[in-house]
Structure formats: C-alpha cells, structure tokens
Amino acid sequence: MKKIFSILLSFVMMLSAAASVQLCAYAEGNDAGITEDITEPANPVDPENPTDPVDPENPTDPVDPENPTDPVDPENPTDPVDPENPTDPVDPENPTDPVDPENPTDPVDPENPTDPVDPENPTDPVDPENPTDPVDPENPTDPVDPENPTDPVEPVKLAAPIVKLMVNDNGKFTLSWNEVEGADKYEIYVLNNTTGNYQLNGTVSKTSATTAVAPYGVKYCYKVRAIHSENEKLASDFSAVVTGVNNKKLTTPNLKVTENKNGTFTLSWNAVAGAEKYELCIRNADGSYKLMKTTTANSFVTAVAAFGKNYAYKMRAVTSKNVDAASAYSAVVGAVNRVALQTPSMKAAVNNNGTFTLSWGSVAGAEKYELYIKQANGSYKLMKTTTANSFTTAVAAFGKQYSYKMKAVRQNLSSAYSAAVSQKNSIRLQAPSLKVSVNANGTFTLSWNKMAGANKYELYIRQANGSYKLMKTTTANSFTTAVATYGKQYYYKAKSLSSRNSRLTSALGTAAGSVNKKKLTAPTGVKAVVNRNGSFTLSWNKVAGADKYELYIKQANGSYKLMKTTSANSFTTAVAKRGKAYSYKVRAVKNSNRSAASAYSAVVNAKRK
C-alpha cells in the first residue's frame, strides 16, 4: 500500500502547478510591439509582435502559459487538472490526497489504503512488500519505489523575472529584467484591450526588449516569464505586470529645401516614427504662416517660384490618433529662385503679301512664348501665345508701322521682354480671292474676305473677247449677280482699292467662275379671271431669267396643248362657252436654252356662267 500511496502522491503533486494571471487595466488604443534590443533598433518593429505580425484587435483563445498548446479552463485557471487525462475530474479540495483510480471522486484513507491495486491491472491485488515493477522517470504515473526517493520527482520551476519598464524620449518602451538562472529565453506578453487577455508578444534571448513607437496617450501592460527551451515544464511564473504610457510628442522633422533648375523648390524631410502625415506651411507676406500641403510622403515639389522672391517654409509631423501628439514645427527654411529664363531676341520681316513674319531663337527652359503688339495708346497687348519659334501676322495695313515685343514663359516664370521690333507694310493692297456659288434661282453670289487697308472693291466680268469689264464697285464683301444664262460659263475677277491712296490699288485677283445649271423657277401666283365678255384673263408672277412663257390648255382627252407663247406675264383668251370648265397651266422658258425651261405652274380653272 505504501507503494501505491507514493505513486498517487507523486502523480497528484505534478498536477497542482498553475499560475494565476493578473490583468492590468488597459486603455483604449492599439498595442505596442516588442523588439529584442534595449537600444532603439535600426528598423522599428511591431510593438505587439516583434517577430511575427499579429492582429492586436482580434487575439486568439487564451493559452496556458505552462503549456501554450493545451487548452485550459479560462473560468477556473487555478484548478489542477490531470495532464494525462485533462477531462478526468480530481478532488479540488484535497489535491494532494491520493484517489481511487476506479472511483476518482471517492476519497481514500492515505494512511491505510486497504485496497492495493496493480497499476497495470487495477483489479488484481499485488504484494506491497515486494513491488516488482520498475518506475519510468518519464511517466510519473507509473508506480515508484518508496524505498528510493531519488527516483523521478516533480521538476523545480525557474524563478519569475523582475521586470522594469521605461518610456523613451522617442515614444518607445524598453522592458528590462534580471537574468534568471537556468533560463535560455524569455516570453513577453501584452494585454489585449479587446479581450482583456494577455497574448504572447514575442520571445527573446536577452534580458531586455524595446518596442516600436507606441501610440500617444495609450496605456500598455506587459508581463514576462523565463523559459527553458528543452523543458517547457520549467517555465517560471509570470512576473508582476508593468505598465507604460507614451506621453512623448512626435519627433520634430528636419526640413531641407533644394532650388531646382526649373525654378521650383524641393522640400524634403526625414520620416518621423509614429507620424501618419506631414503638414507643410508657407510664410505669408505679413509674416504669418498658412498650411500649403498635407502629405504622407517625405518630399514635395512646389510650383515655379517667382524669380528673385524669398520664400520660407516650415512643417510638422502629425497623427490622427491624437492631435496633441503633433510634433513641434521644424526650423524655418528659406529659398530664392535664382533661375531666370533668358530674354528672347526677335526679328520682323515683311512678306510679299503684306504680312509680317516674327521669328526668334529657342530659349533654354522655356515652355512657350508670348507675343505682344503695341496699341494706339502706347501700351502692349498680348497678341499670341505659341510654342513655335515664329509667327506670321495677318496682312498689315499699307504704310502703317507696327511694333512687337515678346517674352519666354515656363509655368509661372517669365523672362524679361525682348527689345521691341517695328515694321511697315510697303506692299500694295492684296487682291481679293473670289468664291462663286450658284443660287437656286440661277444667280451667282460672289464673296471674298475683307482685305487689310482696302475700303472698297471692284468686280469685273469676262467679255466674249476675253477681256474683263468693270461690273460693280462695292464696299461690301459679297455681291449677287442677275440670273445667269442656263449652261453658260461665267468668269469674274476683283481688286482692292483704298479711297485714301489710289496707288495702293491691288492687281486683279485670280479669276473665279461658274455655270448656271439651275432651271428657271416655275411661275407662281397664276390666276384666271372671268371677264364680262366671257373671256378669261390669265396672269402670273415674272420669273427671273425667263425670256417668255408658254400657256397650255387642257384637252378633252385630259392632255395639255400649247395655246400661247408670250413675253408678257398675262394673257386674255377668246370668249369661252357658257357653262364649260377650262383648265390652264404655264411655264417659263429661255430662248437660248430650252433645257432651262421651268416646271409647269399649278393648274388654274375657269368657267363662264
């Protein structure tokens, strides 16, 4: 029986180890992660998990710090369990008393166990004075020899570390603890604000660890335990909980400015740990500063600066998690755009058609060029913006002097104005370029552009012998001829004149011609009036271009017969029979070309009563 008692006592003592976890109140905010070094690491790490990223907002199930892979009862973490049979009940009131393996809930007398059992055959009795079964030190549930107490015993845990937390100037936490004899690594746990449970945050071999920058104003709770990597059962209890709050503001950025060749400035700065974005400010004329740009980058290029003007900038790092954590403003940096565009050199030439061609050389760095023309009051007005290196004006007024100047432009940067160039048109007026269109009524419309310096135009028509005869003088820019003969080719020319100087009169322009292929318009307004004597008077409107008119009367078989050809626009018939209905129609014709004859007019009816 003594053997049985020793076996059970050893078994139960092994089950009694459990560590209670003290939770620390946790402020809202994200968790801070751990790195291995006390000193600030070259690369910041996740304060929640220095080696493996975790979701601090969604921690997994709580784990048993003694056996992180075995589930534990989170409601009763201090109750001992059977490590071989975690679901078997034990007597929580007397965890050291041996129990009956057949009836684990029944207490037994530890001094007089009357029912010895064979561990291999619990229903067979054994001789307690001569135990023949050896003990397995790896399996503490096997029977042990009470005469040899040096055989397997409960392992001794490592000592719990004593932890300290320091808040660094850069907003990081440094955790440090004493070296624990027998430990070769340390597990660091952080309290998760969502679940209220501690979760493994990292494992280190040194006796200190530094977190990444903690969010401003958030409270963090940590605890540490010592571990022996070859025997997890030696893990120490957890240290006392240490807490820390980062009340350090973000580090002030170091702002630099570079003057670029295109007249812009590049502002650049170092990344600030914990910053989400950066606010750039520019100095106003009154010395105050206004927000110019908010960016998540570490540099910004301004627009082209005004040449020679002093600019000043400053900035700060900010975080949306806590506006109070914004850094102080950086030192002010200044810049001046000393990159000026070269002044263009312009020339002006008079062309044979009375226009001017303005030209200039390319200016390094220029994106475009602005051309200005002098006004009557002496000021200059913007005339043209171009990316080319030349521009041709419209025809200049004869004898009038024109002056021009220009400048090169790149975004908001401009060169000085070029020297003004002047030119005068000594070329005769330009002849109009005629266009001829045929109208529906067989007339022609002559049109042309207004010519610089001209205030009237002469129109000429070609004669049968090939010469041109003056047809019309007008101040307008178009003219409509009479109805042209159907099928006949007509040619016209024009020239420009100045009433102030007849010597400027242009030469005759290029001939423009056309042919009237439009038929005569059908007569309209056809009427039939019954006269007192019983005759009918037929009348109609004149048709432009018609030489004569053909009158037709309806026959008994329904066809129409030519009744009369006349050059007038009315005709009186003979006396008609009483009560008989008569029908008439008319068309316009041309002597020179019957193909131009119009369509028939509408039919008119008449009856003598």
Side-chain angles (χ1 to χ4, degrees), residues 70-71 80-89:
D70 293 347
V81 295
D82 180 357
E84 296 299 318
N85 298 286
T87 60
D88 290 348

Side-chain angles (χ1 to χ4, degrees), residues 372-598:
Y372 293 80
I373 186 170
K374 189 176 183 179
Q375 306 295 293
N377 62 4
S379 65
Y380 280 82
K381 174 184 177 182
L382 180 63
M383 175 181 69
K384 177 72 177 179
T385 298
T386 178
T387 58
N389 296 105
S390 65
F391 174 72
T392 299
T393 68
V395 174
F398 183 85
K400 179 181 177 181
Q401 181 161 301
Y402 293 81
S403 295
Y404 304 92
K405 64 181 180 180
M406 67 175 296
K407 62 180 179 179
V409 177
R410 181 180 67 245
Q411 297 183 29
N412 297 328
L413 183 64
S414 299
S415 71
Y417 284 102
S418 68
V421 294
S422 299
Q423 199 54 269
K424 182 185 293 186
N425 177 18
S426 57
I427 308 296
R428 293 174 60 184
L429 295 176
Q430 296 298 301
S433 178
L434 288 180
K435 295 180 181 178
V436 182
S437 57
V438 182
N439 302 318
N441 63 358
T443 61
F444 298 146
T445 294
L446 310 178
S447 60
W448 57 94
N449 293 328
K450 186 175 182 180
M451 306 309 296
N455 55 14
K456 58 183 178 180
Y457 305 93
E458 291 180 347
L459 302 176
Y460 292 79
I461 186 170
R462 191 172 72 178
Q463 306 297 295
N465 62 5
S467 63
Y468 280 83
K469 175 184 176 182
L470 179 62
M471 177 180 68
K472 178 71 176 178
T473 299
T474 178
T475 58
N477 294 102
S478 64
F479 174 71
T480 300
T481 68
V483 175
T485 299
Y486 183 85
K488 180 180 177 181
Q489 178 73 52
Y490 290 81
Y491 290 99
Y492 303 93
K493 289 184 178 182
K495 59 182 176 180
S496 304
L497 294 86
S498 172
S499 57
R500 292 173 292 183
N501 190 339
S502 60
R503 292 180 299 174
L504 303 182
T505 301
S506 72
L508 281 173
T510 303
S514 192
V515 178
N516 175 21
K517 293 184 179 180
K518 307 288 185 180
K519 289 183 177 292
L520 296 174
T521 304
T524 60
V526 180
K527 298 177 181 179
V529 178
V530 181
N531 301 318
R532 290 183 178 181
N533 63 355
S535 64
F536 302 144
T537 295
L538 306 173
S539 61
W540 56 90
N541 297 326
K542 286 185 176 181
V543 174
D547 293 324
K548 52 189 178 181
Y549 305 92
E550 294 177 345
L551 299 176
Y552 289 81
I553 186 171
K554 188 175 184 180
Q555 304 295 298
N557 61 3
S559 63
Y560 280 84
K561 175 183 177 183
L562 179 61
M563 177 181 71
K564 178 67 176 180
T565 298
T566 178
S567 58
N569 61 322
S570 65
F571 174 72
T572 301
T573 69
V575 175
K577 293 180 181 181
R578 290 182 182 276
K580 182 178 179 181
Y582 293 84
S583 297
Y584 303 93
K585 63 183 180 181
V586 61
R587 71 173 180 173
V589 295
K590 249 187 121 49
N591 293 333
S592 59
N593 193 336
R594 288 190 60 82
S595 298
S598 73

